[in-house]
Amino acid sequence: MTFLINVYAKCGTMDYARKVFDNLPRRNVVSWTTLMTGYVYNSQPELAIQVFQEMLEAGAYPSNYTLGTALNACSSLHSVRLGKQFHAYIIKYQIDFDTSVGNALCSFYSKFCNLGSAIKAFQRIREKNVISWTAVISACGDNGEAARGLKFFTEMLSKDIKPNEFTLTSILSLCCTTLCLGLGAQIHSLSSKLGYESYLPIKNSIMYLYLKCGWIREAQKLFDGMEIVSLVTWNAMIAGHAQVMDFVEDDISAYKSGCEALNIFLKLNRSGLKPDLFTFSSILTVCSRLVALEQGEQIHAQTIKTGFLTDVVVGTALINMYSKCGSIEKASKAFVEMDTRTMISWTSMITGFSQQGWSQQALQLFEDMRLAGVRPNQITFVGVLSACSQAGMVNEALSYFEMMQKEYKIKPVMDHFACLIDMFVRLGRLKEAFDFIEKMDFEPTEFIWSLLIAGCRSHGNLELGFYAAEQLLKLKPKETETYVLLLNMYISAGRWKDASRVRKMMKEEKLGKFQDWSWINIKEKVYSFKPNDKSHFHSADLYTSLENLLQQASSLGYKSLETMEVTDEDEEENTSSSTAYHSEKLAVAFGLLNTPNATPIRVIKSVFMCRDCHNFAKYISLLTDREIIIRDSKRLHKFVNGRCSCGDFSGLP
DNA sequence: CTAGGGTTAG
């Protein structure tokens, strides 16, 4: 009758299977094991474990198959304790370490992040089959050792073992993490040769690989050509577009990619499939990068309704969404309401507070994190140091910097130094900033010098500024913003020769596009603005109202600053044009005109905000009593009552 | 034995 258990299990009717089992006149190890396997097959690992325990209590001896199944159940339950207990049974009952036990042990150890034991288990297997190899390869992938996994794959091929569809999917996943497009293409053709071309996981992986490597059109083509898709397909498209936002050349392309992700999300919702925790975490990240609060709030509601908000990754993504949209109170509420938090959740919240200029809260939370026994990482300390830097807490900054190295053995990287240097620069302690740069045990980067130069400009130490500029120019800067900074400095000092030297270098270095562009999102519609843009349907009113704002701001003491315009076609030398119609000014004015009183204004800008616009936004927040949130290419600025959350970051060009 | 998710400031 045991076969009947198997039949019911395969049909997804475990209740019947259990009944058959309960009515068996005699039970042997095979019937117990079959029932367990059924539960694992039907994603009920906890019941499988329960059966295993019943079996031991009944005095039956488990076989190697039984333990293999039990271990698989532990893997899906993420129960380290049980798995280790089972490993002990293997020894106690002198279970033969055969292929199935070895395979199960290998993937169990992998799931609980013990790659060493996983590999050991693999190596103990006398007769390794394709499953053993696949297990060890995916173990490497799951534990961040993609290159090692690829080595096992070559070894496997050299032993003439033919990969199956599972192996190929694992390898493609390794290609995704290492961005090996070439190998991915080879695997693609190999899988066609082996007859797996229509196998959905392989298609999904290839599509995702294309996206991650920037082959967006090809990925889209694959997607459009798929007649059968799964939720994973949709999620891969959304996650892929979210990641594309990170590496595209300019913020305009990033913005487009984010909108595409939102579009795909809408289509997914209409397709009848239900989004899951993977979907929600990706799409919330997209919202945070787009500063799309309205969409983010709707998705928040959806995560509550579907119960996926309990997932810690979704919760963390939600914190980031709110904090990147400038709603720090809601971010904090989301953080408080989480029932489990990981180091990343804490780090996100600390960084969020710090970006909003809430230094005290950031530091308090860091202390709470330590009390909770959660170990901070390099990124956590960037948040902590930047909080100190904003608040000008020199002693605290230095002591956290020391704590990081002594207590947590974390090596400082450029970003940590940048925080400290920014701190000294903000305080006008340029000499100390400079000393710090000289003390670092690695070469100062373009960004570090830029910080110092911007500080020299605003604190009027031109001599040091010119010196730093020479150091910077030796590095052949790559960022357009760096050149804008240098040009501004030289031109305002009347050093025309230096300015034209910089311009010449700009041409030689083939810089990326520098397009000033801003967006504002009102009632889920997006309006974009270019500087001096008069082509818009909304222009007449808009310009009048901007003039008005400029005038009112002037009466409060606002003085417009002339800065350099650097555009793609800029051929003229030494021109300095008006900053009055920079794109963010237009977007802010448009937002004021088209939203009800007291609504916060949220604008995204494709390049760095200039000092003048930064200053202007402060006055406008005071004048109109509105929160103005502008996220530029570098950071978030939240203007409230004439002050900015960045605490007037020293690196503004 | 397989594919998809969250932190990076200055």
Side-chain angles (χ1 to χ4, degrees):
Chain A
M1 292 306 273
T2 302
F3 78 94
L4 204 54
I5 300 177
N6 200 7
V7 171
Y8 281 130
K10 286 273 149 66
C11 297
T13 47
M14 281 312 291
D15 291 351
Y16 290 126
R18 179 77 213 202
K19 251 179 218 154
V20 172
F21 176 82
D22 288 338
N23 290 324
L24 286 179
R26 258 179 300 139
R27 293 159 189 180
N28 58 18
V29 59
V30 178
S31 41
W32 286 103
T33 309
T34 310
L35 185 65
M36 278 174 66
T37 315
Y39 280 125
V40 173
Y41 182 82
N42 286 292
S43 316
Q44 295 173 292
E46 59 293 336
L47 291 176
I49 301 286
Q50 210 177 310
V51 172
F52 182 68
Q53 253 124 22
E54 278 175 51
M55 171 182 175
L56 293 185
E57 279 158 26
Y61 282 94
S63 71
N64 43 5
Y65 291 108
T66 326
L67 273 156
T69 310
L71 278 168
N72 289 337
C74 292
S75 301
S76 24
L77 270 179
H78 301 286
S79 172
V80 178
R81 191 182 50 81
L82 272 176
K84 285 195 161 173
Q85 207 177 321
F86 293 165
H87 194 172
Y89 285 143
I90 292 175
I91 297 161
K92 178 176 164 198
Y93 291 101
Q94 297 185 334
I95 303 283
D96 180 29
F97 201 97
D98 72 347
T99 311
S100 65
V101 170
N103 292 349
L105 210 53
C106 175
S107 56
F108 163 72
Y109 275 118
S110 157
K111 286 253 161 69
F112 118 81
C113 304
N114 188 338
L115 184 58
S117 299
I119 292 178
K120 250 184 229 154
F122 166 77
Q123 279 160 345
R124 267 191 70 185
I125 303 170
R126 288 181 305 271
E127 290 178 27
K128 303 178 180 67
N129 60 12
V130 60
I131 299 180
S132 326
W133 287 97
T134 307
V136 78
I137 289 168
S138 59
C140 294
D142 289 342
N143 291 283
E145 299 236 11
R148 214 159 166 191
L150 291 175
K151 260 191 209 154
F152 277 115
F153 181 59
T154 357
E155 198 184 333
M156 167 184 180
L157 292 181
S158 74
K159 293 203 153 71
D160 251 351
I161 297 182
K162 205 170 85 179
N164 65 11
E165 67 273 39
F166 291 77
T167 327
L168 295 172
T169 314
S170 290
I171 294 295
L172 282 171
S173 157
L174 297 186
C175 295
C176 284
T177 50
T178 49
L179 300 180
C180 285
L181 190 55
L183 180 63
Q186 282 180 42
I187 299 296
H188 190 181
S189 62
L190 178 62
S191 51
S192 306
K193 239 181 258 161
L194 295 172
Y196 300 124
E197 56 192 328
S198 58
Y199 185 65
L200 190 53
I202 289 189
K203 279 187 169 180
N204 287 340
S205 304
I206 289 170
M207 190 188 76
Y208 189 54
L209 177 64
Y210 283 171
L211 266 180
K212 287 188 60 149
C213 295
W215 284 22
I216 298 155
R217 289 236 181 106
E218 287 78 358
Q220 187 68 46
K221 237 162 109 188
L222 264 181
F223 181 72
D224 293 339
M226 285 162 80
E227 62 289 342
I228 299 168
V229 296
S230 66
L231 185 55
V232 177
T233 320
W234 289 99
N235 288 349
M237 278 302 271
I238 294 171
H241 277 93
Q243 284 168 46
V244 166
M245 294 181 81
D246 263 351
F247 65 75
V248 284
E249 302 275 299
D250 52 301
D251 269 31
I252 296 165
S253 319
Y255 173 80
K256 284 183 185 150
S257 180
C259 290
E260 184 55 26
L262 277 177
N263 258 330
I264 298 168
F265 178 69
L266 286 179
K267 281 188 199 152
L268 159 64
N269 273 321
R270 282 196 292 259
S271 79
L273 279 171
K274 294 263 171 284
D276 70 356
L277 63 171
F278 288 90
T279 329
F280 285 127
S281 47
S282 299
I283 200 69
L284 282 170
T285 306
V286 170
C287 291
S288 71
R289 293 187 185 152
L290 288 178
V291 198
L293 183 67
E294 289 176 46
Q295 287 92 332
E297 284 184 320
Q298 281 177 26
I299 292 162
H300 180 187
Q302 222 179 328
T303 61
I304 296 171
K305 242 185 273 165
T306 50
F308 288 115
L309 188 55
T310 51
D311 181 74
V312 64
V313 179
V314 174
T316 307
L318 187 70
I319 295 175
N320 282 310
M321 188 279 288
Y322 278 124
S323 84
K324 297 265 153 75
C325 288
S327 292
I328 192 68
E329 293 87 355
K330 287 190 180 163
S332 164
K333 188 160 178 279
F335 178 79
V336 171
E337 286 171 357
M338 288 174 92
D339 39 40
T340 46
R341 298 176 191 94
T342 61
M343 180 270 287
I344 297 184
S345 327
W346 289 93
T347 302
S348 298
M349 197 64 239
I350 291 169
T351 307
F353 278 141
S354 150
Q355 279 186 332
Q356 298 280 326
W358 291 23
S359 300
Q360 292 301 338
Q361 284 86 344
L363 297 178
Q364 181 58 53
L365 197 65
F366 178 66
E367 292 305 332
D368 293 346
M369 174 182 183
R370 278 162 37 90
L371 280 177
V374 181
R375 195 189 157 80
N377 74 353
Q378 212 183 57
I379 298 170
T380 321
F381 274 102
V382 178
V384 170
L385 292 177
S386 82
C388 296
S389 154
Q390 294 224 16
M393 299 160 72
V394 177
N395 293 334
E396 287 81 354
L398 295 175
S399 88
Y400 281 125
F401 188 58
E402 197 180 291
M403 173 199 284
M404 171 177 93
Q405 298 169 75
K406 293 233 167 92
E407 193 176 331
Y408 292 103
K409 311 278 175 234
I410 296 170
K411 271 211 170 112
V413 295
M414 197 272 283
D415 301 313
H416 299 120
F417 286 107
C419 288
L420 296 171
I421 290 160
D422 176 49
M423 173 178 72
F424 287 122
V425 170
R426 281 166 192 268
L427 295 169
R429 288 155 70 165
L430 300 173
K431 178 76 175 58
E432 281 158 279
F434 183 60
D435 288 346
F436 223 92
I437 292 177
E438 298 217 296
K439 256 200 325 223
M440 300 192 309
D441 49 5
F442 54 85
E443 280 300 303
T445 57
E446 181 175 341
F447 183 73
I448 298 267
W449 286 123
S450 303
L451 272 179
L452 186 65
I453 293 168
C456 290
R457 269 197 80 203
S458 45
H459 292 98
N461 186 340
L462 288 181
E463 206 176 316
L464 185 57
F466 293 143
Y467 172 79
E470 289 310 316
Q471 304 309 308
L472 175 57
L473 284 168
K474 278 187 203 156
L475 297 177
K476 306 223 158 161
K478 299 283 174 285
E479 305 258 336
T480 313
E481 273 137 0
T482 306
Y483 289 96
V484 177
L485 174 70
L486 287 170
L487 282 175
N488 279 334
M489 180 176 73
Y490 284 134
I491 289 169
S492 56
R495 310 242 302 200
W496 309 113
K497 260 192 202 156
D498 286 317
S500 71
R501 186 161 61 112
V502 170
R503 281 196 181 274
K504 215 177 121 203
M505 196 179 223
M506 279 178 87
K507 277 179 198 141
E508 284 162 9
E509 290 300 318
K510 289 199 183 104
L511 302 169
K513 285 190 177 170
F514 188 84
Q515 292 181 29
D516 172 17
W517 214 336
S518 294
W519 301 276
I520 185 164
N521 204 327
I522 296 172
K523 290 201 176 131
E524 298 194 32
K525 268 195 84 175
V526 174
Y527 304 87
S528 61
F529 299 86
K530 284 186 262 182
N532 298 306
D533 188 353
K534 303 211 168 148
S535 63
H536 269 88
F537 52 90
H538 39 59
S539 57
D541 283 356
L542 184 58
Y543 278 85
T544 331
S545 120
L546 180 53
E547 290 297 344
N548 258 330
L549 288 170
L550 283 164
Q551 219 163 38
Q552 289 180 53
S554 305
S555 67
L556 283 181
Y558 162 75
K559 282 196 191 76
S560 81
L561 287 162
E562 301 279 294
T563 53
M564 284 308 302
E565 288 295 312
V566 180
T567 57
D568 287 341
E569 305 82 30
D570 204 345
E571 294 296 330
E572 287 161 58
E573 303 250 320
N574 307 331
T575 52
S576 151
S577 64
S578 166
T579 51
Y581 302 120
H582 271 175
S583 63
E584 64 268 48
K585 289 204 183 86
L586 291 168
V588 167
F590 183 80
L592 289 170
L593 271 180
N594 292 286
T595 54
N597 273 340
T599 330
I601 306 276
R602 292 187 166 75
V603 169
I604 317 186
K605 180 167 167 57
S606 63
V607 291
F608 219 156
M609 239 181 138
C610 74
R611 271 170 213 232
D612 179 61
C613 289
H614 193 263
N615 213 3
F616 175 72
K618 285 203 234 167
Y619 280 102
I620 295 304
S621 71
L622 198 62
L623 260 173
T624 60
D625 204 21
R626 293 235 211 172
E627 285 182 8
I628 297 173
I629 294 142
I630 302 180
R631 209 228 36 217
D632 68 14
S633 59
K634 295 284 176 192
R635 56 172 306 143
L636 184 87
H637 303 269
K638 181 172 170 178
F639 302 90
V640 185
N641 284 327
R643 308 182 87 174
C644 178
S645 65
C646 78
D648 296 344
F649 165 59
S650 57
L652 290 173

